[in-house]
Amino acid sequence: MTRILERYRDFLPITAATPAITIGEGDTPLVRSRKLEKELCCGELYFKLEGCNPTGSFKDRGMVVAVARAMEAGSEAIICASTGNTSASAAAYGAHCGLKVFILVPRGNIALGKLAQALVCGARVIGMDGNFDQCLQMVRTLTQRHPITLVNSLNPHRIEGQKTAAFEIADALGQAPDYLFLPVGNAGNITAYWRGFVQYREAGRTGNLPRMMGFEAEGAAAIVHNKVIEKPETIATAIRIGNPASWQGAVAARDESGGIIDCVSDDEILKAYRMLAAKEGIFGEPASAASLAGLIKSVRNGLSLTNRKVVCVITGNGLKDTDTALKQAPSLIEVPADLAAIEQVVL
Ligand code: F0G
């Protein structure tokens, strides 16, 4: 299968001189729900498994474009602030292309799998005493002073690449869904999906547009409350962001699509996280479960989705954060090497 730089070339800021790099991003599964669809009375419910991207999150879609364009421009180094996934992706694509990669993360607040990914790919990872918003401010200033390419979603090529997920969904369904549920952190992804659907409609590839249903974490719900959250808090560290860079893009996606931006509590996120794994076999990371938590909340609040096509984006792989997984899961049953002891558990 051709990868996104080739498949969606006509919709991307790609020139003849852009290197056609890939480590296998895009073309992720759109899986029909077997159980939750019925429980939530949705006409059709699908999960878009973005954790199947090469570094385990949707960030690879935007990173491949941003890094390809950085290479084209002759850049030798890239930098980002991250709650974890952007850093894992930047480290991987940077390594693939032989670039120097610098990463600034909020110390103590990123899942260890993500840190491991960035470190093993050889990135220089700096843990800063501060939150993501402060890290982002630092890298913005740094890139204004030094010839290092910023690969956060302030880099427009990131959003351009991420919109390919909307194309894939519309291609798979033959149209856009009626509703798209997704987590909101720095708000780049909701901005990208909306742009993708709108461009696809303009190109005649879909007749309809979805309502965009974005969900922040309750303790980091800047857009919901229309104010910067100085000290964002949530178990979903990927979306622990109090001043989203693409705030305006998210508000436009909401308003132009007739959707909403709401928030879900950590308890609602964790409940959805366990449900998704235990009922569907889909192991997303906690932030990813904010989309399903938002769907459950919306249905509970009276949204009727009968006869509707609904897509929930599962943005990242659960393996990135095994600390949270093990705290949320039933415990390991330990036995001696003895058949009778094992039979006791199994029978
Ligand atoms: N889900 C996951 C798994 C994420 O890692 C992120 C953001 C989001 C959702 C929210 O997407 O920021 O476009 O609204 N992670 C960024 C990072 C901030 O640094 O990895 P968004």
Side-chain angles (χ1 to χ4, degrees):
M1 174 54 83
T2 54
R3 295 296 165 185
I4 60 174
L5 287 190
E6 284 170 17
R7 186 169 174 200
Y8 296 116
R9 180 173 199 93
D10 295 347
F11 294 92
L12 294 174
I14 301 289
T15 72
T18 312
I21 58 171
T22 181
I23 50 176
E25 59 291 329
D27 196 23
T28 58
L30 186 69
V31 175
R32 178 110 181 231
S33 157
R34 295 178 62 244
K35 294 196 187 123
L36 295 173
E37 174 178 282
K38 287 195 195 78
E39 279 182 35
L40 297 168
C41 299
C42 297
E44 291 172 30
L45 172 61
Y46 298 87
F47 295 105
K48 179 69 171 162
L49 303 188
E50 288 291 279
C52 295
N53 277 298
T55 75
S57 87
F58 69 96
K59 304 288 180 178
D60 296 338
R61 294 178 184 279
M63 200 58 71
V64 71
V65 180
V67 170
R69 293 301 306 260
M71 295 288 291
E72 184 181 342
S75 172
E76 287 172 5
I78 58 176
I79 190 167
C80 65
S82 180
T83 58
N85 281 324
T86 301
S87 64
S89 190
Y93 284 86
H96 186 71
C97 294
L99 297 170
K100 278 194 215 114
V101 181
F102 301 101
I103 281 160
L104 202 54
V105 294
R107 196 157 75 93
N109 272 307
I110 84 164
L112 288 185
K114 302 173 187 179
L115 186 60
Q117 286 180 286
L119 290 169
V120 83
C121 285
R124 300 287 293 274
V125 184
I126 306 160
M128 192 180 98
D129 288 321
N131 61 32
F132 169 82
D133 305 289
Q134 293 165 318
C135 291
L136 185 58
Q137 194 46 54
M138 289 288 180
V139 298
R140 286 175 94 146
T141 310
L142 262 166
T143 50
Q144 279 155 13
R145 296 192 185 179
H146 305 281
I148 309 177
T149 306
L150 180 70
V151 293
N152 279 104
S153 54
L154 294 161
N155 177 328
H157 304 312
R158 280 276 317 279
I159 306 260
E160 288 294 305
Q162 280 173 213
K163 76 191 180 188
T164 58
F167 301 160
E168 286 180 14
I169 291 173
D171 285 342
L173 296 178
Q175 62 174 89
D178 298 304
Y179 287 84
L180 186 89
F181 287 80
L182 78 175
V184 174
N186 213 24
N189 211 27
I190 190 168
T191 304
Y193 267 93
W194 181 239
R195 190 181 300 169
F197 285 120
V198 168
Q199 287 184 0
Y200 237 35
R201 193 182 59 169
E202 283 164 4
R205 305 260 192 122
T206 170
N208 65 319
L209 290 172
R211 288 183 196 270
M212 301 295 289
M213 312 291 278
F215 290 85
E216 299 185 289
E218 196 173 77
I223 302 173
V224 173
H225 300 302
N226 198 24
K227 68 165 205 277
V228 172
I229 310 291
E230 297 293 342
K231 293 200 167 102
E233 271 312 335
T234 168
I235 183 140
T237 50
I239 52 171
R240 188 172 173 272
I241 294 173
N243 188 10
S246 298
W247 192 317
Q248 293 317 317
V251 167
R254 175 193 68 193
D255 296 345
E256 292 169 19
S257 75
I260 59 169
I261 294 181
D262 195 357
C263 58
V264 281
S265 68
D266 280 3
D267 279 352
E268 289 171 309
I269 289 173
L270 290 173
K271 189 168 169 233
Y273 169 80
R274 291 187 302 261
M275 264 175 103
L276 188 63
K279 297 209 171 181
E280 302 282 2
I282 296 171
F283 185 23
E285 65 171 282
S288 301
S291 59
L292 176 59
L295 169 60
I296 295 169
K297 181 177 179 184
S298 303
V299 169
R300 199 179 351 101
N301 286 347
L303 179 68
S304 167
L305 296 170
T306 336
N307 302 322
R308 298 275 182 239
K309 283 193 174 137
V310 180
V311 173
C312 251
V313 183
I314 306 301
T315 46
N317 196 306
L319 287 170
K320 287 170 175 276
D321 187 358
T322 48
D323 283 348
T324 304
L326 291 170
K327 281 186 200 133
Q328 290 302 313
S331 25
L332 176 71
I333 303 162
E334 295 184 75
V335 296
D338 171 42
L339 188 62
I342 298 169
E343 277 177 336
Q344 254 195 351
V345 178
V346 172
L347 300 177

